[in-house]
Amino acid sequence: MNLDNLNKEQQKAATHTEGPLLILAGAGSGKTATMTHRIAYLIDQGVSPYSILAVTFTNKAAKEMRDRVEKLVGPCPGMWIMTFHAMSLRILREHYYAAGYDKNFVVYDTVDQKTIIKNIIKEQNIDSKQFPQAYLSAIISKEKEADSAPEQFLEKTDGSPKAKVIYNVYKEYQRQLRANNAMDFDDLLLNALHVLRDNPDILAQYQNRFRYIMVDEYQDTNHIQYQIIRMMAMAHQNLCVVGDDDQCIYQWRGADIRNILDFEKDFPAAKVIKLEQNYRSCGNILAAAHSVIKNNRGRKSKKLWTEADAGSPIVYKRCDSDKEEAYYVAQEIDLLSGAKDCSYDDFAVLYRTNAQSRLFEDALKRRHIPYQILSGFSFYERKETKDMICYLRLVVNPADDLALRRIINEPKRGIGPTTLGKLETLAKVNGQSLFDTLSQEEVIYSLPAKASVSVKSMMDVMKLCQQEKDNLRVSDIYDNLLVKTGYLKALEDENTLEAESRIENLLDFKSFIYDFEEEKAAADEKATLEEFLERVATDSDTDKYDNESGKVTLMTMHSAKGLEFPVVFMPGMEDGLFPGHRAMDSENGIEEERRLCYVGMTRAKEKLFLTSAAYRVLYGHGEYTRESTFLRELDKSLLDKDGDSIYEPSRRTDNRLGVDTGSFDGYSQNPPFRPYNFDPLKYAKQSVKESAAGSAEDFIEGDQVTHGKFGHGIVVDVDAKTVTVAFDEGGTKKLAKGIAPLRKV
Ligand code: ATP
Ligand code: MG
């Protein structure tokens, strides 16, 4: 295999396959690129993809890494390239019984978590001023990161009334998760750790399988993740970790920088390779980033160099107010984007907190500059998407009371809070789930007349989907739920602009399902509903980032990790905002913020803008500000003297090895041809309805049919409710009429 594209050190790292290896290197030095080539090299050397495990920080990074590897060496079935959470989930799916869960357990996201905690606060009559939900959620999460169960938490405390309140909430929270056959995010890691730690046979199975293990962004692993990886790698010791101590930005979420600094202690045989050439940024940008990060004390000293020229100077602009700052950024983008060969996706605005985003949105809108925002109110948190996800979750896991509670009256089915309360009490008394309770005819008939009919019809649809789950594509199930539960119709009947935009979102979500199905098909894997829901639960903001969108990207610096952009704006360079108030109280806090500043600056390839506002309103509170500590540290000789800026995209790095996103190696194609009066929304609605109609046709024995999932076959038997088909591939299947996506040919 040809590794000529890599430099000497990168080649060394890629070909050092046996024994522990630490690739320690600064931003943009090709760590991710090297890891990708290392995987390809292993496979080229005859290692089975089946024995390779590579851990990335986001699902999107995982997908890209797989694509790159497969481009280099062809299809790699059985290889695990995924995030820690996805890996834990996989392990738990395979060994759910060892974790004490049912096969169909679900994963709760932060919205679900919030709902449960809020309910507990109400149920236990807790003063939510003294114990806000966010505070309780944070404590619970911290405890889980420290592998500390409610009892252990209580032991650690002084047993004060306050500690008892938290203990009671934590305990009840865990109880409810269990009862709903659900795990939250932290549980995923924790349960995977426990399964591996407490079951030597299961651990051995993974140890034997994964002879080669790699972890990107290792500096941001937390203690639980670290233990999982360490255990799995113990047998073969072929662990390669890749990271940069200067880029550890998740300590507040439990990441432990010592994991990377102590790697050589844990694995005394470790070889260390440093990469020092930066391929991403111009000289000035690198020097500026270095002049800031060098003020951190607890770091392994390293300095990057580049063959690239110095590039244009760093622009710093102090604006009078936050509004003016946003105006300035939008104006610069407007000016610069006029350059030849320039596209809006060359630009990123990276801010410290989501609260800063709104002004930039306003300013960009005013100039008609398209943008994508990758933080704040996320895709999955939209009401209608979340509702549909709950429907889907119930298909997989009927015990999910939280989901059922959410959708039982969505659309309106005449189930008010009182009726719901009664149903819940009944379920509790009988020790059953809500779903099982509603499955009893006498319960259904005891409901008010209107509710009785509509709930029954919903339950029938749900059961049909549950029963036929494995015979349908995820998108078929989705269509059926959307149409047959009355959800789509209720929105259509509303006939408002808002409802219309909700429908758009729901169809948007469907394209997301299609993407998932296509991706799976390309990897020759089954696209199951279970896995789709896992994807939904484990996706992060960054996973929605599209580097060929033709839009300016707005995101937090945290989400920008691993990405690169030709032009980067970092607004809000003010003490109290960046570094933040709380961070400024401690040396550790400041150092973490400084690393974040380094991450932000090193995302830029060609041009870097820093701005601050003399007056800023944040969270409804206006204040005069002081320029950021980090600005004071910055080497002033690198700054643009007159603040004027020109930008000519040079395509210098041209993304030869481009592994990460953010690079501009590819422009969106022309849109496909559409008929003149094509209404995409109408068309999409139509197709959803058609697909949900299932087969209205009557079949007789001997009919030739095609099925959405199983392809071509022949009808061999028909009765009142089912059609039995012998498929060319995949055997004979009995399918439910009215839902099976069958068509005569
Ligand atoms: P980060 O610390 O931000 O995660 P990284 O160290 O993982 O960065 P990469 O993203 O792998 O760096 O690489 C940065 C850029 O440099 C990419 O555009 C990549 O294609 C390019 N690159 C890496 N190595 C080489 C090389 N040997 N020759 C040319 N370009 C390279
Ligand atoms: Mg990287």
Side-chain angles (χ1 to χ4, degrees):
M1 187 186 149
N2 185 354
L3 294 175
D4 288 350
N5 278 339
L6 301 182
N7 69 32
K8 280 258 146 48
E9 289 305 299
Q10 291 176 331
Q11 282 180 13
K12 250 191 234 167
T15 54
H16 179 91
T17 57
E18 307 305 307
L21 172 66
L22 166 63
I23 304 177
L24 181 69
S29 58
K31 293 184 297 298
T32 306
T34 303
M35 182 166 147
T36 310
H37 279 79
R38 191 172 185 275
I39 299 173
Y41 177 78
L42 280 167
I43 294 169
D44 189 61
Q45 294 294 301
V47 170
S48 158
Y50 181 80
S51 46
I52 294 176
L53 163 66
V55 183
T56 59
F57 209 71
T58 61
N59 289 323
K60 185 163 176 96
K63 180 168 182 299
E64 285 190 3
M65 193 174 278
R66 177 182 291 275
D67 288 349
R68 292 272 164 188
V69 170
E70 294 192 335
K71 232 181 232 162
L72 291 167
V73 292
C76 299
M79 177 168 63
W80 281 24
I81 300 193
M82 52 185 77
T83 64
F84 268 112
H85 284 95
M87 174 182 88
S88 303
L89 198 46
R90 210 31 104 86
I91 294 175
L92 290 167
R93 281 277 172 241
E94 290 177 352
H95 304 285
Y96 55 90
Y97 51 91
Y101 274 81
D102 279 352
K103 183 160 180 284
N104 298 325
F105 70 84
V106 288
V107 183
Y108 279 177
D109 62 16
T110 41
V111 182
D112 304 315
Q113 193 180 5
K114 257 190 221 164
T115 314
I116 301 188
I117 302 232
K118 280 194 179 149
N119 284 343
I120 298 178
I121 290 177
K122 240 188 253 157
E123 279 163 22
Q124 301 193 347
N125 285 322
I126 294 170
D127 175 6
S128 63
K129 286 227 175 62
Q130 202 189 344
F131 298 95
Q133 166 270 321
Y135 168 76
L136 291 168
S137 297
I139 294 194
I140 292 176
S141 183
K142 268 244 144 56
E143 288 307 306
K144 288 187 178 179
E145 266 157 21
D147 195 1
S148 157
E151 283 65 35
Q152 287 160 304
F153 164 78
L154 194 62
E155 272 167 33
K156 279 189 294 189
T157 66
D158 49 5
S160 66
K162 195 175 157 187
K164 285 221 174 93
V165 170
I166 299 171
Y167 163 76
N168 283 330
V169 174
Y170 186 9
K171 201 170 131 188
E172 174 61 14
Y173 175 70
Q174 286 305 97
R175 191 197 67 74
Q176 291 198 15
L177 285 182
R178 283 266 168 189
N180 290 352
N181 197 21
M183 301 185 191
D184 68 12
F185 248 56
D186 299 310
D187 284 339
L188 279 180
L189 298 176
L190 202 54
N191 287 329
L193 174 69
H194 291 173
V195 164
L196 295 174
R197 194 184 57 197
D198 304 339
N199 300 277
D201 51 324
I202 297 178
L203 176 61
Q205 186 186 322
Y206 290 107
Q207 283 182 333
N208 292 337
R209 167 169 181 179
F210 294 117
R211 283 184 47 215
Y212 297 92
I213 302 182
M214 274 155 271
V215 186
D216 197 6
E217 307 279 6
Y218 187 67
Q219 75 280 354
D220 278 323
T221 46
N222 69 25
H223 193 60
I224 307 272
Q225 294 165 335
Y226 161 77
Q227 292 181 73
I228 293 177
I229 278 298
R230 205 177 112 102
M231 276 197 293
M232 287 177 59
M234 261 317 155
H236 291 291
Q237 301 261 324
N238 294 331
L239 173 63
C240 164
V241 301
V242 177
D244 177 3
D245 52 321
D246 287 336
Q247 292 187 66
C248 174
I249 53 174
Y250 279 103
Q251 266 181 24
W252 56 280
R253 226 167 62 182
D256 194 342
I257 198 166
R258 279 172 308 178
N259 290 345
I260 196 157
L261 298 176
D262 290 350
F263 186 76
E264 294 160 84
K265 271 191 213 142
D266 294 327
F267 295 90
K271 180 168 172 71
V272 182
I273 293 182
K274 293 192 177 177
L275 307 177
E276 282 165 343
Q277 179 171 3
N278 174 293
Y279 291 92
R280 179 180 294 144
S281 313
C282 294
N284 283 336
I285 294 170
L286 267 193
H290 185 256
S291 69
V292 173
I293 195 66
K294 73 170 196 237
N295 295 288
N296 266 12
R297 274 185 284 165
R299 65 186 284 264
K300 294 206 169 188
S301 130
K302 54 181 149 17
K303 188 162 183 188
L304 290 163
W305 61 277
T306 175
E307 269 175 5
D309 47 23
S312 48
I314 314 296
V315 178
Y316 169 62
K317 168 104 175 152
R318 175 98 172 145
C319 305
D320 287 343
S321 70
D322 47 0
K323 286 214 175 93
E324 196 200 295
E325 181 187 49
Y327 178 89
Y328 168 76
V329 169
Q331 171 187 280
E332 285 300 303
I333 294 178
D334 218 356
L335 284 174
L336 299 179
S337 61
K340 188 169 166 289
D341 271 353
C342 182
S343 154
Y344 285 125
D345 44 38
D346 288 359
F347 301 90
V349 182
L350 308 180
Y351 36 75
R352 177 67 186 81
T353 74
N354 284 320
Q356 286 167 263
S357 69
R358 196 181 47 80
L359 291 179
F360 293 100
E361 289 192 71
D362 289 348
L364 291 169
K365 264 188 214 150
R366 208 159 287 175
R367 287 178 182 271
H368 306 289
I369 298 175
Y371 63 87
Q372 55 177 337
I373 179 159
L374 289 146
S375 35
F377 204 55
S378 99
F379 186 56
Y380 304 125
E381 288 170 21
R382 291 174 186 161
K383 180 187 175 308
E384 57 281 2
T385 325
K386 183 78 201 181
D387 286 346
M388 286 317 293
I389 291 173
C390 283
Y391 273 111
L392 290 168
R393 260 171 29 191
L394 277 166
V395 172
V396 172
N397 176 28
D400 194 341
D401 284 359
L402 191 71
L404 186 52
R405 219 182 293 152
R406 181 177 173 111
I407 53 91
I408 189 164
N409 207 32
E410 285 299 340
K412 298 272 172 292
R413 296 191 176 94
I415 301 280
T418 324
T419 314
L420 182 59
K422 278 188 199 152
L423 287 169
E424 286 185 319
T425 314
L426 185 62
K428 223 178 218 166
V429 171
N430 293 337
Q432 278 179 329
S433 67
L434 261 183
F435 194 92
D436 285 344
T437 307
L438 280 171
S439 298
Q440 297 159 21
E441 299 229 315
E442 60 275 23
V443 175
I444 292 271
Y445 291 132
S446 73
L447 295 173
K450 177 179 171 242
S452 170
V453 177
S454 53
V455 172
K456 169 128 191 351
S457 130
M458 174 199 79
M459 289 297 288
D460 288 345
V461 177
M462 298 305 293
K463 283 185 188 153
L464 197 56
C465 287
Q466 283 165 0
Q467 174 199 324
E468 290 294 307
K469 174 169 67 82
D470 295 330
N471 292 330
L472 296 170
R473 289 172 303 190
V474 181
S475 48
D476 295 326
I477 302 176
Y478 182 74
D479 287 347
N480 271 289
L481 291 173
L482 202 54
V483 175
K484 292 183 181 157
T485 61
Y487 200 96
L488 183 62
K489 176 145 194 322
L491 284 176
E492 285 177 332
D493 290 349
E494 254 182 59
N495 203 10
T496 60
L497 270 182
E498 196 201 322
E500 188 83 334
S501 98
R502 288 185 189 280
I503 295 177
E504 270 171 33
N505 291 340
L506 287 168
L507 297 172
D508 194 18
F509 188 58
K510 188 166 165 195
S511 19
F512 181 69
I513 298 180
Y514 275 146
D515 287 348
F516 168 77
E517 288 174 339
E518 261 169 34
E519 183 192 323
K520 285 279 154 187
D524 216 3
E525 288 173 355
K526 273 196 212 148
T528 65
L529 180 56
E530 285 82 350
E531 215 175 312
F532 176 72
L533 289 171
E534 283 162 13
R535 173 68 58 85
V536 167
T538 57
D539 254 3
S540 65
D541 287 338
T542 324
D543 289 321
K544 273 142 253 145
Y545 168 57
D546 175 2
N547 61 323
E548 292 172 12
S549 63
K551 294 174 183 167
V552 174
T553 301
L554 304 183
M555 56 163 59
T556 64
M557 282 176 251
H558 277 103
S559 315
K561 198 166 87 149
L563 305 180
E564 54 191 27
F565 304 89
V567 184
V568 168
F569 292 85
M570 286 168 63
M573 299 294 297
E574 298 141 31
D575 277 348
L577 178 57
F578 190 39
H581 273 299
R582 229 175 306 159
M584 291 177 74
D585 291 345
S586 72
E587 192 56 31
N588 271 347
I590 293 261
E591 295 213 340
E592 171 132 331
E593 296 274 297
R594 197 177 278 119
R595 289 192 293 270
L596 186 58
C597 184
Y598 175 76
V599 169
M601 293 168 89
T602 53
R603 299 309 96 200
K605 292 166 126 181
E606 321 243 331
K607 239 183 142 31
L608 176 63
F609 288 82
L610 308 169
T611 58
S612 73
Y615 178 80
R616 174 176 305 277
V617 183
L618 204 61
Y619 306 115
H621 175 71
E623 229 172 54
Y624 287 94
T625 72
R626 191 171 69 155
E627 289 171 316
S628 167
T629 316
F630 304 144
L631 284 173
R632 293 197 289 281
E633 292 168 356
L634 189 85
D635 180 350
K636 300 292 171 305
S637 70
L638 302 167
L639 289 182
D640 193 339
K641 298 290 173 297
D642 50 16
D644 280 345
S645 51
I646 24 169
Y647 165 56
E648 288 158 4
S650 70
R651 320 274 144 176
R652 177 180 40 75
T653 33
D654 226 13
N655 212 35
R656 200 144 46 102
L657 302 175
V659 166
D660 287 337
T661 49
S663 39
F664 43 93
D665 61 342
Y667 285 86
S668 18
Q669 310 273 313
N670 290 332
F673 174 76
R674 297 277 192 220
Y676 172 60
N677 54 357
F678 181 79
D679 176 350
L681 190 63
K682 196 167 148 200
Y683 174 78
K685 270 196 277 192
Q686 181 90 16
S687 94
V688 164
K689 286 179 191 163
E690 274 169 17
S691 129
S695 58
E697 298 172 279
D698 273 331
F699 296 98
I700 50 167
E701 262 175 61
D703 274 347
Q704 300 234 19
V705 290
T706 59
H707 182 276
K709 182 166 178 171
F710 303 123
H712 182 264
I714 292 178
V715 175
V716 291
D717 193 20
V718 182
D719 64 27
K721 288 195 165 163
T722 64
V723 185
T724 307
V725 182
F727 289 103
D728 299 356
E729 281 164 43
T732 302
K733 297 224 154 51
K734 199 171 196 159
L735 307 166
K737 274 188 183 167
I739 188 169
L742 272 186
R743 300 262 176 276
K744 275 188 208 173
V745 285

